[in-house]
Each structure stands twice: as C-alpha cells, then as structure tokens.
Amino acid sequence: MALISLRQLLDHAAENGYGMPAFNVNNMEQIHAIMQAADACNSPVILQGSAGARSYAGEPFLRHLVLAAVEMYPHIPVVMHQDHGSEPAVCFRSIQSGFSSVMMDGSLMADAKTPSSYEYNVETTRKVVELAHACGVSVEGELGCLGSLETGMMGEEDGHGAEGVLDHSQLLTDPEEAADFVRKTGVDALAIAIGTSHGAYKFTKKPTGNVLRIDRVKEIHARIPTVHLVMHGSSSVPEDWLAIINNYGGDMGQTYGVPVSEIVEGIKHGVRKVNIDTDLRMASTGAIRKHLAENTANFDPRKFLKEATKAMSGICKDRFEAFGCAGQASKIKPVSLEVMFGEYKAGKLDPKVS
Ligand SMILES: O=C(CO)COP(=O)(O)O
Ligand SMILES: O=C[C@H](O)COP(=O)(O)O
Ligand SMILES: [Zn+2]
Ligand SMILES: [Zn+2]
C-alpha cells in the first residue's frame, strides 16, 4: 500500500529538484487518467479533493476511489490531499477519513470569502498542524490571497467567489511574513499568492512578469529555502482545448493561463506542488463535445468518457514530464504515517527558519 504523506513526497522532490502537479479529483475518470499517465511515466501522484469534490462524490466514494487507485497501482506512491480546508474541523474530518495530507486555508475566514487577519491565519493553521502532525499527516498553509493583479479580484475557491477588490499587499505574499508564519505554525508546505487565481479566466493576455510574479517566488524561496512552496491556480488553460471546446458548440471567452515554462522557472526556486484543476476540466469537456458532435448516434457514455480520460491523461503526462517528476516513483520508499509521527515528535521535521 503506497499511500504516503505530502511531506515525504515534497522532501524527495526538493532533494531531487523536481515539482509535483497536484490534480483535483471528483470522479473515477479523472483518477484513471492521472494514474494511467503516472504509470506510463513512473511518476508519483498527488490526488486532491476539494469541498466541492466531497459534496459531488460523497466522502466515502472519494475515499474509496483513491484507495482503489492505490490498490491498482501499488508501485506508485500516492498522496491523498484535502484541498482548501476552510476551517480546522474540515481538516480533522479529512484526517479521520484517511487523507495523508490536509490544507488549512486560513488566508480566508471560514466563509471562504472574507480575507482574514494574519493572527487568525496563524492561530487556525497552528491548531491544525498540532493535531495533524500527531497523526503523521502533513499540512499545507496559505499566506496571501489568490487573485488577479490585473483586476484585484480573487479567484473562486472551493466554489465560493471571494468578494470585493483586493490591493496588491493582500494579493502578494510578503517574504518576511512568510518566514514568521512558517516559524509560528510549523507547516510542511506553504501556498503563496503571486498573481495566479483559480478557474479559467486568469489573465486577459499572455502574462508578463508584472501580473505573474515569479520574481516573488524567488524572494520567498531565498528567505525560507527549505520550505516547500505551493502554486495554486496553476492551470495553463491550453489554447488547443479552448479552441476544440469552442469549435464544437462551446462558448468560452478568450483567456490565458500560467505558462508551463513559468511554472518550471518556479520549480527551480522552491515550488514543489502545483495545483491543477481547470486544465483537466477543459480537456474532458473538449473531448466529450468533440466525440458527441462526431458520433451523433452514440448513446454509450463509456465511449465519450474514454475519450475524456485519454485527453486528461495527455495533460497529466505533459505535466509529469515538464515538472521533472517522471521517472521518480520507483525511487521513493514509502514511509508510514506512524513513522512520520515519530519524526515530527522527535523534531526532525521542524521547519528551518533563521
Ligand atoms: O488551485 C487549484 C486548486 O486548489 C486549481 O487551480 P486551477 O483553477 O488553475 O486549475
Ligand atoms: O480550489 C479550487 C479547485 O479548482 C476546486 O474547485 P471546486 O471547488 O469546484 O471543486
Ligand atoms: Zn485561499
Ligand atoms: Zn487552490
């Protein structure tokens, strides 16, 4: 059984200089697509479930789908991660459900809409870290609010659109504050705000360094070099899938995502986890639209769902290869959460912040 913690995987990624895509999952086809791609290129996997995924599939279904992936691919290390926990109770329930990693997103209040105070973020995140580490489970925190530096609008998080226009001090993580946050909370990984946002509509034109601040990643990494950085809202919004969706009856506006080359630059400077949801949504929608348009007599969902799986798998393979995690799965020796607990207790995994 190769269910491992996020901390183990990201430590391995840091030691070996690669990054990991973390794909959002809601159903069997997405999990099939990710696992088939990982199997083909010998990559470890992070499967993450949002609150939206839990309410769509139901907690037992989501859990058993991930466990089925672990059973079917015993040679692939899998992290089962809970995305954007809006309050500690969400994280605790995920730990109870068997997740090996949780995210406490204290950058927003429990309504997942209102930006929180720094003190609130520290306190709620610290509380989750204390309990999660006692179970050997990893914790990702978030500092700074995801949102567009073009418009000041936050992206959607877990199905809720945060309200109002934010200023740049809220939309960009401060390196000094990041160091203080890590020291006070003990998080294993830190999601940072650098101008990315959730969903397909991230940038109105190909992003420049003014709106996608990879320079800020470098500054944060220089300040806290041993902390694993996480980029949310990091779909690349593939132009080919956008065109296929629109050519087969869809109506998506022109939009731009985060270029893979910029993510790769981030990976050179401490980014270890890259959250991707929209790209798989677009690939599956495009593939299904195309299949149904070209096969009007078909009424067997397996046929178009297979096309969707193939399309999503193609994106996964591209990211595994670009981020350098292809070829790494067989090099990882799974460590149990029980052993991780012992390491936390012994202080061996304490963040190093000067
Ligand atoms: O950050 C994400 C999930 O937490 C997903 O981001 P995208 O919408 O860019 O795929
Ligand atoms: O956090 C953002 C992810 O894209 C999850 O989206 P979702 O809440 O619609 O599942
Ligand atoms: Zn957030
Ligand atoms: Zn996110």
Side-chain angles (χ1 to χ4, degrees), residues 10 87 90 108 110 131 136 138 141 145 180 198 209 226 254 257 274-276 283 296 307:
L10 299 191
E87 54 187 331
V90 172
L108 300 175
L131 253 110
S138 326
C145 294
D180 186 63
H198 290 122
T226 62
Q254 184 60 58
V274 180
N275 281 20
I276 298 173
T296 49
E307 290 304 312

Side-chain angles (χ1 to χ4, degrees), residues 247-310:
N247 288 342
Y248 290 94
D251 185 16
M252 281 187 71
Q254 184 60 58
T255 176
Y256 296 85
V258 183
V260 170
S261 58
E262 296 298 322
I263 298 172
V264 169
E265 184 63 16
I267 290 171
K268 289 185 196 148
H269 297 277
V271 171
R272 299 290 161 230
K273 176 170 178 278
V274 180
N275 281 20
I276 298 173
D277 186 352
T278 300
D279 284 353
L280 299 195
R281 293 180 182 191
M282 288 178 67
S284 61
T285 298
I288 290 171
R289 281 192 175 280
K290 182 168 187 291
H291 176 89
L292 289 177
E294 289 173 349
N295 300 272
T296 49
N298 176 44
F299 55 90
D300 180 352
R302 289 174 299 187
K303 297 216 168 86
F304 57 78
L305 290 174
K306 259 191 187 166
E307 290 304 312
T309 303
K310 203 163 75 188

Side-chain angles (χ1 to χ4, degrees), residues 237-247 282-283 286 315 318-319:
V237 188
E239 281 172 46
D240 50 350
W241 284 113
L242 183 65
I244 290 172
I245 290 171
N246 286 342
N247 288 342
M282 288 178 67
I315 301 248
D318 286 353
R319 300 296 181 273

Side-chain angles (χ1 to χ4, degrees), residues 83-84 103 142 146 157 198 232-233 275:
D83 196 21
H84 290 288
M103 176 186 192
E142 178 170 314
L146 281 210
E157 293 202 29
H198 290 122
H232 279 247
N275 281 20

Side-chain angles (χ1 to χ4, degrees), residues 119-249:
E119 292 69 30
Y120 169 90
N121 194 354
V122 168
E123 188 44 33
T124 43
T125 308
R126 197 200 51 73
K127 201 161 144 186
V128 172
V129 168
E130 192 184 330
L131 253 110
H133 285 181
C135 305
V137 167
S138 326
V139 180
E140 173 185 338
E142 178 170 314
L143 185 63
C145 294
L146 281 210
S148 161
L149 293 167
E150 285 180 284
T151 62
M153 300 294 286
M154 289 180 75
E156 272 189 28
E157 293 202 29
D158 274 1
H160 304 285
E163 292 153 345
V165 175
L166 303 183
D167 63 45
H168 282 198
S169 70
Q170 293 169 291
L171 293 168
L172 284 169
T173 304
D174 175 70
E176 272 315 306
E177 207 169 63
D180 186 63
F181 186 80
V182 169
R183 199 185 302 115
K184 288 184 175 149
T185 60
V187 286
D188 301 282
L190 183 66
I192 54 172
I194 55 161
T196 66
S197 53
H198 290 122
Y201 299 97
K202 302 181 192 302
F203 304 107
T204 56
K205 37 190 182 301
K206 205 171 171 308
T208 61
N210 291 332
V211 292
L212 175 59
R213 298 282 305 272
I214 299 295
D215 62 322
R216 185 55 68 103
V217 174
K218 297 178 186 174
E219 288 166 22
I220 297 169
H221 180 57
R223 185 66 189 80
I224 44 173
T226 62
V227 176
H228 305 308
L229 304 181
V230 183
M231 278 174 69
H232 279 247
S234 290
S235 275
S236 302
V237 188
E239 281 172 46
D240 50 350
W241 284 113
L242 183 65
I244 290 172
I245 290 171
N246 286 342
N247 288 342
Y248 290 94

